[in-house]
Amino acid sequence: MIDIAVTVLRVWLGVVMLAHGYHHARSIPGTTRWFESKGFRRPRFNALVSASGELAIGSALIVGMATSVAAAGVAAITVVAFWSIHRFAGFFVFKRPDEGWEYVATLFVAAMVLALLGPGPASIDRALGWDAVLSGTSGLMLIGGGVAAAAVQLGLMWRKPQSD
């Protein structure tokens, strides 16, 4: 049953990330303006990286390829989103103008669970024998790498916008 549950979690997280990537990619100019309004330097670059990263991560999770690496990508995205946007609104997602942080925290926890437990049996990782190598402690280390990558991106690319 755990194998089925982790497969369902992996595929659903992949669908969520793919949908986010599609949403960002369908209007790069709009996504660029949004990144700029949130205090990101080089907003077009961030919009392109965000859209392409989310599309790649979502696709990899759906098929179960390099699952813990993709999960580390989710961790990086959610840490950037938490720190730059969601933490200011508090816990609840319905707090406006920006949503709270429980949604991104839930995605982060789901990614960490996948990195620890592996992709499940219906995955490219299992077929290639990568699941045992990329999960458990290795998976947790990859999540740590995702958090570190997020810190680098935030340090280089983001400054809290000044309120009027």
Side-chain angles (χ1 to χ4, degrees), residues 2-4 6-7 10 114 117-126 131:
I2 290 175
D3 278 347
I4 293 169
V6 80
T7 300
R10 186 197 80 232
L114 284 176
L117 296 180
S123 64
I124 292 173
D125 287 346
R126 177 74 53 95
D131 56 331

Side-chain angles (χ1 to χ4, degrees), residues 1-159:
M1 288 307 240
I2 290 175
D3 278 347
I4 293 169
V6 80
T7 300
V8 169
L9 179 64
R10 186 197 80 232
V11 171
W12 178 246
L13 187 58
V15 168
V16 169
M17 295 310 297
L18 193 63
H20 273 264
Y22 174 76
H23 178 73
H24 286 145
R26 70 183 172 86
S27 175
I28 294 298
T31 303
T32 298
R33 284 189 299 276
W34 182 82
F35 270 101
E36 186 171 36
S37 76
K38 298 302 177 186
F40 283 86
R41 296 180 180 126
R42 300 188 60 202
R44 181 167 171 76
F45 172 79
N46 278 282
L48 290 168
V49 169
S50 174
S52 59
E54 289 171 347
L55 289 168
I57 288 164
S59 299
L61 287 170
I62 289 169
V63 300
M65 182 170 172
T67 301
S68 291
V69 175
V74 173
I77 289 166
T78 57
V79 167
V80 169
F82 166 80
W83 191 258
S84 62
I85 315 279
H86 299 282
R87 71 186 169 109
F88 303 111
F91 182 79
F92 294 105
V93 76
F94 49 80
K95 176 97 185 230
R96 301 291 181 199
D98 291 317
E99 292 82 14
W101 56 265
E102 89 269 16
Y103 173 69
V104 294
T106 300
L107 294 179
F108 181 90
V109 170
M112 190 166 53
V113 168
L114 284 176
L116 286 167
L117 296 180
S123 64
I124 292 173
D125 287 346
R126 177 74 53 95
L128 296 174
W130 294 357
D131 56 331
V133 176
L134 292 177
S135 61
T137 302
S138 298
L140 195 56
M141 290 172 61
L142 287 165
I143 293 292
V147 171
V152 169
Q153 181 188 3
L154 287 164
L156 293 175
M157 296 288 181
W158 180 78
R159 294 290 178 263

